[in-house]
Amino acid sequence: MNPIIHDYLTDIRRRLSHLGLRERDAVLEEIRLHLESEVARLHSEDTSLSKDEAALQATNSFGDPEEIGVAYGAPGGVINRTTGEMLLEVALLTTRAAGRGIRGTLKWTGIILAIILGISLILVLAALVFADNVIDTFQDDIRENTPRPLYDYNGEWTGYPEAHTETTSDSFQIRDGMRDFTISFDIRPDASTAGSGCAQIMLTSPGGSVVYDSGTDCDADSRTLTFSEKGTWTVQYTYVAFQGQVDVDAYYFEDVSRQS
Amino acid sequence: MDGMNAADYLLKLERDMTGGFLHLLVLEYVQRLEPIHGYGLIRGMEEAQAPGQWKEGTVYPLLAALEKEGLVKSRWGRPGRGARRKYYETTPAGREIRDLAILKWQRLRARLDTILEDPE
């Protein structure tokens, strides 16, 4: 079917919606036959006329679809639709409106999501910056509170002839960048042996002060002390026929504030 | 004239007048050409230079209206090897109405002529 005629008939069909389906189809078929006959006649009378031009003339001669609809009983200028068609149209409009609603919702959802994403991104970046500071802070804290080996002394002597008798000294340095240090002394005479001898440990500060002296009473001793004075610290061990164990461990802590 | 020029107004007037007697005109031509399909009827009316301002598209609704009134009847047929067509012919009631309508028209026209030719 010629597209011009097709569109024209479609227009008329819309205006005949007040008719029953069978009656409407019959009317449209009759009009279609008329138009095709007219196109054929016009074309035969003037072969230079294209099919479209002929179709246009034929439809123009046939009349305005709206007037034709009215002539078939449609209310003048108002399309009389069947309830089904009205419901269909309402459904279509509703669907379109719903479609617009969904599209609108999707659009705004997208915008909101984009905003949320943007804010989240900013927050994440801020959190990273903050976290970096936090990590730095913790790093400092960790550095500041991590004990680092400074000095270590271990000795174990059993019965004679291994029992230890001598006086020795060690030293270690507390330098800038070292906040303080903790030193533990652990003197454990062999309790299973009578007359296990003595072990005396003395810690002397850089200024010459003896800050720890385990004494000469030859008893076991365990002590942990903390100092911060910079300089050379000296540890003196005096053994007199000592049987047992001696452990001395020192750890220092960084002075982060000075380093930063 | 406000809103509509004289030519347009006269065209509308002629259409309205044609609408008044187009039923009779179609009924007359169906009776003359029956059995006749819509396209043949319109072609016949055009060739006979049927009076009035009417569009081809208005004839089909008139035929449908006349059929509903029982003044014409129709049937689908196929002329020879051509496309199927809907053929119309008048019913006895249609022919009676046609005769009565012609009388009515003649009386109306006579009275109208009297008025129009002698305004006083």
Side-chain angles (χ1 to χ4, degrees), chain A residues 16-35:
Chain A
L16 296 179
S17 54
H18 59 289
L19 300 179
L21 185 63
R22 199 169 173 178
E23 185 181 3
R24 186 171 50 197
D25 284 348
V27 167
L28 289 167
E29 174 69 357
E30 196 173 20
I31 295 172
R32 184 184 69 80
L33 289 166
H34 173 102
L35 293 172

Side-chain angles (χ1 to χ4, degrees), chain B residues 14-120:
Chain B
E14 189 178 359
R15 279 181 184 163
D16 289 345
M17 286 192 290
T18 303
F21 63 75
L22 197 56
H23 283 74
L24 178 59
L25 204 59
V26 168
L27 196 58
E28 171 64 24
Y29 276 95
V30 169
Q31 188 173 331
R32 285 188 193 182
L33 302 170
E34 63 185 3
I36 186 73
H37 49 70
Y39 183 70
L41 175 68
I42 290 164
R43 294 298 311 145
M45 288 171 69
E46 284 177 345
E47 285 170 7
Q49 296 182 326
Q53 281 290 334
W54 52 274
K55 283 275 190 179
E56 296 168 6
T58 57
V59 173
Y60 287 96
L62 270 178
L63 285 168
L66 291 172
E67 189 171 14
K68 278 185 181 172
E69 295 293 338
L71 305 182
V72 298
K73 59 182 181 183
S74 68
R75 59 180 170 80
W76 284 93
R78 193 180 295 273
R81 297 174 66 180
R84 61 196 292 265
R85 296 282 189 179
K86 193 176 185 182
Y87 289 89
Y88 294 90
E89 57 186 297
T90 53
T91 61
R95 287 189 285 274
E96 186 179 348
I97 289 292
R98 176 245 175 212
D99 293 343
L100 291 171
I102 289 172
L103 285 173
K104 190 99 177 162
W105 169 250
Q106 286 171 345
R107 287 177 192 157
L108 283 170
R109 190 180 63 188
R111 289 182 66 184
L112 191 62
D113 286 345
T114 301
I115 293 167
L116 295 175
E117 288 170 5
D118 185 12
E120 299 299 320

